[in-house]
Amino acid sequence: MAKEIYHRSNWGNAVNDIAWGDTYEKFDATNEMFVRSDNYENSNETDKLMAAINPKPSILLTPTAYDNGSLHTVKPVLSPFADFDFTRSTTATRENSSGNIESVAANLPRIDYLGGTGSLLLEPQSTNLVPYSQTITEFSQTNATLFDNQTISPDGTQNAGGATKLGTNSNDRIRETISVSNSTVYNISAFVKNSTIAVGGVTTISFRVSGGTLFRKGYEWGASGLSFSSSQNSGTRTNEILEDYGNGWYRIGFSFTTNGTSGSFEIDLDRQNGSDTTTLFIWGAQLEEQSFATSYIPTSGSTVTRNADAANNSGSSDLINSTEGVLYCEIAALANDGSFRVITLSDGTSNNTVGFVYRDTDDQFTGVVKSNGSTSFSQTFTLSNITEYIKVALSYKLNDFKMYMNGSQIGIDVSGNSPIGLNFLQLTDANGSSNKFTGKVKSVAVFKEALTDAQLIALTT
Amino acid sequence: MKIGKYEFKDQKAAEAKIKALGVDTDEDGNEYPTHRHAIVKLGHIVLEQGEYDKEGEVIKAPVLSDKYHLDVMWRLEDTVDEEGNVIVAEHPYGWKSAAVGNIDGNGVHSFYGVNYQENKM
């Protein structure tokens, strides 16, 4: 039985002594959202925050509940709901609330718990070019003994293999040759867990371009886990990652630009202690044409593609006020990836919009309002770290536009017209197709009235 | 949903066919597809693996296809007409001639969780 979260039918009418956002078991639930949702999860603190804000939004996505092809909003309470259409025509993976990587069926939204709290994960299409991502004995080796299925992997089952050094030298490694496109950005990643490598040992992950550059990043094993190493690094790398998946597992990797048409995916077991005969567990090898690591895509004999996520077609003119209102989001980008990623209120065209944009320029974020084709408000802000969550609100009203982020006002304009005919809320451009929002979403809300400075500060703090 | 596997004489021919499915330009000047099919550019796929030394340098180069390959997940479905006859979804106009013949299993590429043999055009 799924858990019910105390909201939706009780929103704004908290007669129950259970706090907003708390989770409790309710086996005879009559809550409409609970009843009509196949999947119901606690998105943690977000609805507590939103419950403390008055006035209440007309549309609220936390996210919490979802079905095949649909992402349910917490508000409105009654039909017609403002649920998002959701598509992703392939299976995908997420980290579930238990901390395990699990597959999620096609057309089901993913609430991902990497980092501890749940958020909607929206990713671009990507292909894992490593044909055997978790069958380590399918890799080639240099002075190493390979094995499969020896320990519990990040998916919670005993399907992780690894390799043991023969102690020949620091080049004891696993490797796999893969064809790539020249002058193209790729991301390499894998999950690793220490078995017997000594403290101070350095494991590296590399892509060695045939006739070109060795791109390599070192990671040092310490008494309490893994850290970036200042040694054994080579080539120009971006978006380096070191993510703790629990139970001793870490995801490591980076992005690079190829200078050849093939290369070798390599993991050197311990470059610091060449003569040691120690063991490293390895799982989930991934090479993808991306500027950052996307969620794990398992393979077993061929390259495999996960299709893009898309959520759109929420809203209606009854729920969105064109004359005045607020668009609020608690979101984070996945990386600086050179793309536009957009969330919009619109009339279905780019002429009338209220929107937030992660821009193609690194760390830049824009709030914009357009009325009848003219820009009424536009404010671009440079974020300190695009992958950190921001709480951002844009209040619009004739000659009264304000943008707040994380409790501070970052933009104001006292002239300009309100948009006209707003009736769509989409995690894309106004056309519903281009500049899909890729990132993490904890909340999207629409208010039918402009909020005061104090309310905007409270909302975004 | 249907899956098609295709080969074209070169990348330019493949890109032209993709573009013909529909593109538009947003207000920032960036082209975006107006269709909702998922296209994976496999390029010149490896027909015969190469041989490499311990440092990854080529001993014997891999044999690559001289064709440029695409896999496409079409947002198309078989339909049923008024007499109850199943109308099988066809390759979009101009794509059939580029379709690859029989392939074992999923071939060199698959869409996650989708069996090619059960969904091929």
Side-chain angles (χ1 to χ4, degrees):
Chain A
M1 170 64 77
K3 292 177 179 177
E4 182 180 14
I5 300 168
Y6 183 63
H7 61 196
R8 187 78 173 190
S9 61
N10 298 300
W11 188 270
N13 183 27
V15 295
N16 194 306
D17 60 0
I18 297 175
W20 294 102
D22 282 356
T23 305
Y24 69 106
E25 302 285 352
K26 189 179 181 191
F27 298 102
D28 60 344
T30 56
N31 179 311
E32 274 189 72
M33 190 176 182
F34 180 71
V35 169
R36 71 190 185 89
S37 302
D38 288 340
N39 305 280
Y40 210 96
E41 298 179 29
N42 188 358
S43 54
N44 213 341
E45 301 289 334
T46 307
D47 47 350
K48 281 185 183 177
L49 165 75
M50 297 305 295
I53 301 298
N54 282 305
K56 298 291 185 241
S58 56
I59 302 174
L60 175 62
L61 172 72
T62 54
T64 296
Y66 55 91
D67 281 317
N68 187 349
S70 184
L71 179 60
H72 298 305
T73 53
V74 173
K75 284 199 74 181
V77 173
L78 302 173
S79 178
F81 305 110
D83 296 339
F84 287 79
D85 294 338
F86 180 86
T87 55
R88 187 195 60 250
S89 301
T90 64
T91 304
T93 62
R94 67 159 176 171
E95 177 157 303
N96 65 22
S97 58
S98 300
N100 293 325
I101 292 176
E102 70 173 8
S103 62
V104 177
N107 293 320
L108 283 178
R110 288 176 288 169
I111 299 178
D112 186 81
Y113 292 82
L114 181 61
T117 58
S119 63
L120 175 67
L121 176 61
L122 299 164
E123 294 186 300
Q125 176 178 311
S126 194
T127 301
N128 187 354
L129 300 172
V130 179
Y132 289 95
S133 64
Q134 54 195 55
T135 309
I136 302 304
T137 54
E138 290 287 348
F139 280 69
S140 300
Q141 51 75 30
T142 300
N143 301 318
T145 303
L146 310 184
F147 55 85
D148 293 322
N149 304 324
Q150 289 297 303
T151 193
I152 304 294
S153 78
D155 75 6
T157 62
Q158 185 158 326
N159 62 3
T164 300
K165 282 170 62 66
L166 296 183
T168 305
N169 55 42
S170 62
N171 295 325
D172 298 355
R173 64 174 60 116
I174 72 164
R175 55 189 168 85
E176 179 67 28
T177 302
I178 298 171
S179 295
V180 292
S181 299
N182 196 7
S183 302
T184 303
V185 176
Y186 285 83
N187 183 276
I188 187 172
S189 63
F191 296 82
V192 294
K193 178 179 179 177
N194 192 1
S195 176
T196 57
I197 294 173
V199 169
V202 175
T203 292
T204 63
I205 184 168
S206 318
F207 194 80
R208 184 186 303 268
V209 178
S210 298
T213 301
L214 168 63
F215 299 96
R216 185 166 69 195
K217 178 61 193 168
Y219 294 85
E220 182 173 336
W221 294 103
S224 59
L226 192 61
S227 61
F228 289 112
S229 172
S230 58
S231 66
Q232 307 296 340
N233 301 317
S234 172
T236 301
R237 308 167 312 280
T238 59
N239 288 333
E240 295 171 347
I241 58 166
L242 173 56
E243 295 173 335
D244 187 348
Y245 275 74
N247 195 30
W249 283 101
Y250 295 88
R251 193 180 196 196
I252 59 175
F254 59 85
S255 297
F256 61 97
T257 302
T258 53
N259 55 356
T261 57
S262 71
S264 180
F265 183 119
E266 299 178 350
I267 294 177
D268 291 11
L269 306 175
D270 181 0
R271 293 193 62 79
Q272 190 67 29
N273 304 292
S275 60
D276 281 5
T277 55
T278 46
T279 295
L280 180 73
F281 296 123
I282 304 166
W283 187 81
Q286 187 152 306
L287 180 71
E288 52 190 327
E289 191 181 322
Q290 296 288 347
S291 61
F292 61 98
T294 71
S295 62
Y296 175 49
I297 306 166
T299 66
S300 57
S302 72
T303 62
V304 175
T305 295
R306 177 202 62 244
N307 285 11
D309 304 279
N312 52 27
N313 292 332
S314 173
S316 73
S317 56
D318 291 338
L319 298 169
I320 306 169
N321 186 359
S322 298
T323 307
E324 64 175 285
V326 171
L327 174 63
Y328 165 80
C329 296
E330 185 178 0
I331 50 180
L334 299 173
N336 282 310
D337 64 2
S339 71
F340 289 89
R341 292 140 286 177
V342 179
I343 295 175
T344 54
L345 295 173
S346 76
D347 63 350
T349 76
S350 59
N351 289 332
N352 290 286
T353 62
V354 178
F356 291 129
V357 185
Y358 284 111
R359 302 189 67 84
D360 57 345
T361 303
D362 282 4
D363 297 319
Q364 290 207 342
F365 183 85
T366 296
V368 63
V369 180
K370 288 188 175 180
S371 175
N372 203 23
S374 298
T375 300
S376 299
F377 173 87
S378 181
Q379 178 67 50
T380 295
F381 185 81
T382 301
L383 304 168
S384 58
N385 182 346
I386 200 170
T387 63
E388 290 182 354
Y389 281 100
I390 55 172
K391 295 177 181 176
V392 60
L394 204 173
S395 180
Y396 58 93
K397 188 178 180 180
L398 177 67
N399 298 331
D400 183 8
F401 299 86
K402 291 175 288 192
M403 184 168 163
Y404 278 75
M405 184 183 293
N406 297 339
S408 300
Q409 186 181 84
I410 60 169
I412 184 168
D413 197 330
V414 294
S415 68
N417 294 318
S418 303
I420 302 165
L422 301 180
N423 58 357
F424 280 107
L425 169 60
Q426 317 211 74
L427 305 188
T428 68
D429 255 340
N431 57 39
S433 296
S434 63
N435 296 325
K436 289 187 181 78
F437 183 85
T438 56
K440 295 183 282 189
V441 178
K442 284 189 175 178
S443 180
V444 176
V446 176
F447 295 79
K448 294 181 72 173
E449 56 263 87
L451 299 184
T452 66
D453 289 340
Q455 289 168 334
L456 290 166
I457 290 170
L459 182 62
T460 58
T461 298
Chain B
M1 166 261 295
K2 293 286 183 181
I3 298 174
K5 290 179 179 284
Y6 304 91
E7 57 183 23
F8 297 86
K9 67 175 183 179
D10 54 28
Q11 183 173 1
K12 186 178 178 182
E15 298 283 4
K17 196 62 74 177
I18 293 169
K19 191 167 186 176
L21 293 172
V23 294
D24 205 342
T25 304
D26 67 20
E27 56 188 308
D28 297 306
N30 302 309
E31 281 192 346
Y32 66 93
T34 55
H35 61 81
R36 297 174 68 192
H37 313 300
I39 299 171
V40 180
K41 299 172 183 177
L42 301 175
H44 300 280
I45 63 174
V46 176
L47 301 177
E48 190 177 313
Q49 294 294 334
E51 294 177 16
Y52 305 87
D53 65 17
K54 291 181 178 180
E55 296 302 319
E57 297 303 323
V58 178
I59 299 171
K60 178 185 171 190
V63 177
L64 302 180
S65 170
D66 62 353
K67 300 289 199 307
Y68 190 89
H69 292 249
L70 300 178
D71 276 7
V72 183
M73 179 183 280
W74 300 105
R75 290 181 69 90
L76 300 170
E77 301 289 347
D78 294 341
T79 55
V80 179
D81 67 13
E82 293 173 349
E83 281 86 40
N85 302 310
V86 175
I87 310 298
V88 176
E90 297 277 358
H91 300 275
Y93 180 76
W95 284 76
K96 189 172 184 179
S97 60
V100 176
N102 290 334
I103 287 176
D104 293 333
N106 285 313
V108 300
H109 168 264
S110 64
F111 290 90
Y112 187 9
V114 182
N115 186 299
Y116 169 66
Q117 295 297 333
E118 295 172 1
N119 294 281
K120 65 183 178 182
M121 299 201 79

